[in-house]
Amino acid sequence: MSATRPVPHQQKSAAFEYLTTRKDEFVGWARKFSLFPYPFVTACCAMEFMSVSSTLYDTDRFGAALPRFTPRQSDLLMVVGTVSHKQAPVLRKVYEQMCEPKWVIAFGVCATSGGFYQNYAALPGIDKIIPVDLYIPGCPPRPEMVIDGIMKLQDKIAGERHPIINQDF
Amino acid sequence: MAHGILVLQIAAESLMPVAGRLKQEFGFDLFLDVTATDWPQRRPRFDVVYHFYSTRDFVRVRLKTRVEEADPTVDTLVTLYGSARYMERECHEMYGIRFRGNDDLRPLLLYEGFVGHPLRKDYPKQREQPLVPYRDVKR
């Protein structure tokens, strides 16, 4: 092999060879399109959840397609439906088992505020026990509202800080 | 008769004989439910209401008996119908009716440590007994 022959892949082929970006923007861009939802589905909102995640409305377009049925593999907790006081310890434990970073969607009015269940049995909103990033009201919410909510959550993730090594970076 | 169903108003002591006779002689072989009605102004305060169904004749019958607030106790029907076990548990936790002879009256839909009987009229509507302590939410 001749030493003077140029190696093809080292040739300059385009005017732009690299881009610069901010670390948080880059990581946020990656994370917002790879949401792995954990469906904590307890009540009738499940029907709307199935509708929004299957072909007609298709949350796959937003990178939130594949439900993980273990909290350890997911980063988005979707609480879909009424949560009773008896279930509250379960929800709390599922939330604590999820690894950082994690986000929570309260899907439907029962998860948001208890809805019309203001009684001895129902938890009046899951934000009483775990922090919530996004509330989607409605009984049940329209799929369009859910998609709008997922897009809002993506905007939030894109604008967040994303520490990946320590608190400062 | 009420709402097309035969209603038998009986004393609490005669519950077992009447229920036994309904099952043995009249073929009411299916125990549908037991529940209670709370009449806060009335003495005695509670109605305990039973429904039975006959799969032979396709008819229902309702049994009603009254119990005092001070001693809301009736006999269990577990010896006649095994399914009474669960329904009496629910009636016990919701209304505080005690079923003499049912040895398993643990909470069924509620949880251990729940104070009071939520379907009684004097249970405050907004009273909560959370199992997980609430967060301090800054609003």
Side-chain angles (χ1 to χ4, degrees):
Chain A
M1 182 188 283
S2 165
T4 55
R5 208 162 78 193
V7 183
H9 71 263
Q10 285 180 344
Q11 279 180 332
K12 208 164 191 177
S13 58
F16 300 105
E17 291 214 314
Y18 55 87
L19 292 167
T20 58
T21 180
R22 285 170 54 242
K23 181 265 299 173
D24 282 339
E25 265 178 37
F26 178 66
V27 178
W29 170 81
R31 283 184 174 167
K32 78 173 189 179
F33 288 120
S34 101
L35 294 167
F36 283 81
Y38 176 89
F40 191 93
V41 180
T42 55
C44 35
C45 273
M47 297 300 143
E48 214 61 47
F49 177 76
M50 293 168 204
S51 164
V52 76
S53 49
S54 55
T55 42
L56 187 59
Y57 291 98
D58 196 5
T59 47
D60 197 4
R61 295 177 292 154
F62 306 92
L66 188 65
R68 308 303 302 181
F69 294 107
T70 164
R72 297 179 197 282
Q73 296 174 352
S74 59
D75 53 9
L76 171 62
L77 178 61
M78 293 186 93
V79 183
V80 182
T82 327
V83 177
S84 64
H85 284 303
K86 200 174 178 178
Q87 272 177 318
V90 182
L91 177 61
R92 183 66 201 254
K93 183 169 239 171
V94 165
Y95 176 77
E96 284 168 354
Q97 282 177 336
M98 290 170 66
C99 296
E100 296 279 353
K102 54 189 173 186
W103 299 277
V104 179
I105 286 182
F107 187 115
V109 76
C110 291
T112 303
S113 68
F116 52 75
Y117 297 110
Q118 306 290 327
N119 58 19
Y120 64 95
L123 184 69
I126 58 166
D127 58 357
K128 296 275 189 205
I129 56 168
I130 58 174
V132 176
D133 292 282
L134 188 90
Y135 301 88
I136 305 174
C139 185
R142 291 281 311 167
E144 292 87 347
M145 288 171 69
V146 181
I147 288 171
D148 190 46
I150 290 175
M151 288 164 70
K152 282 202 164 62
L153 182 70
Q154 287 181 323
D155 290 346
K156 182 181 170 170
I157 294 170
E160 269 180 352
R161 283 200 65 244
H162 293 278
I164 51 174
I165 295 173
N166 55 30
Q167 278 303 321
D168 303 317
F169 186 77
Chain B
M1 297 288 287
H3 304 283
I5 299 183
L6 175 68
V7 182
L8 302 175
Q9 180 84 48
I10 57 169
E13 306 81 63
S14 49
L15 174 70
M16 274 306 269
V18 172
R21 229 180 131 202
L22 281 176
K23 186 182 181 189
Q24 310 302 343
E25 288 183 33
F26 297 98
F28 287 97
D29 49 356
L30 183 62
F31 181 47
L32 291 178
D33 73 334
V34 52
T35 183
T37 322
D38 186 0
W39 305 93
Q41 265 66 18
R42 201 191 71 183
R43 299 291 303 270
R45 182 173 161 185
F46 296 105
D47 279 340
V48 187
V49 187
Y50 297 83
H51 288 94
F52 301 97
Y53 184 71
S54 165
T55 55
R56 187 188 67 195
D57 303 324
F58 312 117
V59 288
R60 284 158 217 266
V61 67
R62 181 181 300 147
L63 270 187
K64 278 183 170 183
T65 180
R66 294 182 173 191
V67 288
E68 275 290 348
E69 185 182 2
D71 182 29
T73 306
V74 290
D75 284 327
T76 179
L77 295 189
V78 166
T79 47
L80 290 174
Y81 303 95
S83 60
R85 225 175 149 74
Y86 271 83
M87 302 186 210
E88 289 177 353
R89 269 174 81 179
E90 189 190 354
C91 189
H92 173 258
E93 68 182 353
M94 293 297 174
Y95 291 97
I97 308 293
R98 284 194 293 274
F99 293 88
R100 196 185 299 114
N102 189 333
D103 55 359
D104 182 18
L105 289 177
R106 288 172 299 145
L108 178 66
L109 301 171
L110 298 175
Y111 34 92
E112 293 289 346
F114 193 93
V115 180
H117 304 289
L119 292 193
R120 284 192 178 184
K121 299 281 188 207
D122 53 5
Y123 187 88
K125 201 180 76 173
Q126 299 286 341
R127 182 174 172 200
E128 296 170 29
Q129 304 188 30
L131 281 179
V132 179
Y134 285 173
R135 299 163 59 227
D136 297 326
V137 185
K138 295 172 215 73
R139 289 178 201 257

